[in-house]
């Protein structure tokens, strides 16, 4: 049997590749690229509906996910929401890129660290991981500090109807954008634009 | 080849293609993060698949 734990972790980290969206051309097959976010989300929801209604077994699902929305749906919904709000011109690009990659990596890092070294060290590892990712992409210390702390706090509550995969994306980026609007945070480098245009 | 193996192969391809595209477009910081973040779980998963085949 495939090690399902590692399989789940890899499925989680691979979700960082959602940021490839920013390399897409503005139009694909005469359709604005933002429409593909909706199409992708509908595809994910369709798979999930088929899984829940027809009882299709997918490798890597946890037992408690048998009759509730799976974590991949929460993560995909969060990423699609971030990309959609970016297209509306509300979320800056650098924050969206950093947050998607951060959420894809930090949750599994916290999970592994919790398992091996306990809860306290799990929090420390999560903070280090999320801080490093924010700093590596955004490069503004205060954003990295606040983003990482909010991300790790968002991961803690275990709520059935609001998964941490969604919370770890929505809450940190919303907090950072609101603080920026209130002029409590400095402006982002190049107004948060990292990738000028698609391929 | 089972659907799961094909799916895993597709995941590896996605990681490789995305990282390569970011390198080509000179967004090295994103490419490095994609490579580093997926390398360990990807390696561990490959190892677990090999172990399964040995058994």
């Amino acid at each position: 049997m495939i090690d399902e734990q590692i399989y789940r972790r890899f499925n989680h980290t691979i979700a960082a590749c959602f940021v490839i969206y920013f390399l897409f051309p503005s139009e694909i097959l005469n359709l604005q690229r933002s429409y593909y976010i909706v199409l992708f989300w509908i595809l994910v929801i369709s798979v999930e509906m088929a899984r829940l209604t027809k009882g299709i077994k997918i490798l890597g699902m946890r037992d408690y996910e048998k009759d509730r929305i799976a974590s991949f749906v929460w993560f995909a919904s969060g990423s699609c929401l971030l990309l959609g709000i970016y297209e509306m011109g509300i979320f800056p690009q650098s924050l969206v890129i950093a947050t998607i990659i951060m959420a894809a990596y930090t949750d599994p890092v916290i999970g592994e660290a919790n398992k091996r070294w306990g809860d306290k060290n799990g929090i420390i590892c999560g903070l280090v991981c999320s801080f490093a990712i924010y700093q590596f992409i955004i490069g503004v210390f205060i954003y990295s500090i606040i983003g990482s702390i909010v991300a790790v706090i968002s991961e803690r509550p275990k709520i059935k109807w609001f998964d941490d995969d969604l919370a770890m994306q929505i809450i940190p980026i919303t907090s950072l954008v609101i603080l920026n609007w209130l002029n409590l945070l400095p402006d982002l480098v190049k107004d948060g634009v990292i990738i000028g245009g698609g391929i | 080849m089972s659907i799961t193996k094909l799916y895993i192969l597709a995941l590896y391809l996605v990681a490789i293609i995305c990282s390569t595209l970011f390198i080509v477009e000179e967004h090295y910081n994103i490419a490095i993060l994609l490579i580093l973040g997926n390398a360990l779980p990807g390696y561990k998963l490959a190892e677990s698949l090999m172990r399964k085949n040995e058994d």
Side-chain angles (χ1 to χ4, degrees), chain A residues 2 27 34 37 61-62 66 81 88 95 123 141 144 147 151 158 176:
Chain A
I2 294 170
E27 275 192 11
S34 50
I37 303 170
M61 291 289 119
R62 289 192 172 93
K66 207 160 57 182
L81 198 58
M88 290 176 202
L95 285 185
I123 293 172
F141 185 78
S144 311
K158 302 294 173 207
L176 292 172

Side-chain angles (χ1 to χ4, degrees), chain B residues 2-30:
Chain B
S2 70
I3 293 172
T4 309
K5 278 186 181 169
L6 278 174
Y7 173 69
I8 292 170
L9 183 69
L11 292 186
Y12 282 117
L13 281 175
V14 166
I16 292 165
I17 292 168
C18 290
S19 310
T20 309
L21 285 174
F22 277 109
I23 291 170
V24 169
E25 292 293 310
E26 298 181 359
H27 299 295
Y28 301 113
N29 54 349
I30 300 173

Side-chain angles (χ1 to χ4, degrees), chain A residues 1-3 6-7 9-11 13-14 16-17 19-20 23 59 97 101 105 133 136-137 194-195 197-199, chain B residues 4 7-8 11-12 14-15 18 21-22 25 27 29-30 32-34 37-38 41-42 44-45 48-49 52:
Chain A
M1 279 294 286
I2 294 170
D3 187 329
I6 296 168
Y7 178 75
R9 301 285 188 229
F10 189 49
N11 270 284
T13 57
I14 206 83
C17 293
V19 296
I20 197 68
L23 290 184
L59 184 75
I97 293 173
I101 298 178
Y105 294 164
I133 293 167
F136 204 51
I137 293 178
I194 300 179
I195 301 168
I199 292 173
Chain B
T4 309
Y7 173 69
I8 292 170
L11 292 186
Y12 282 117
V14 166
C18 290
L21 285 174
F22 277 109
E25 292 293 310
H27 299 295
N29 54 349
I30 300 173
I32 288 168
L33 280 177
L34 291 185
N38 286 298
K44 287 281 178 191
L45 183 62
S48 107
L49 280 168
K52 181 211 159 195

Side-chain angles (χ1 to χ4, degrees), chain A residues 91-157:
Chain A
F91 287 166
Q93 190 192 60
S94 61
L95 285 185
V96 173
I97 293 173
T99 303
I100 290 176
I101 298 178
M102 178 280 296
Y105 294 164
T106 305
D107 193 32
V109 163
I110 293 175
E112 278 298 310
N114 277 346
K115 206 174 73 181
R116 286 162 197 255
W117 306 305
D119 250 21
K120 209 172 159 185
N121 289 322
I123 293 172
I124 294 167
C125 288
L127 283 171
V128 171
C129 176
S130 49
F131 174 82
I133 293 167
Y134 271 122
Q135 189 62 20
F136 204 51
I137 293 178
I138 301 171
V140 184
F141 185 78
I142 189 75
Y143 278 90
S144 311
I145 282 284
I146 295 173
S148 56
I149 291 171
V150 175
V152 172
I153 291 171
S154 312
E155 195 270 344
R156 302 312 289 176

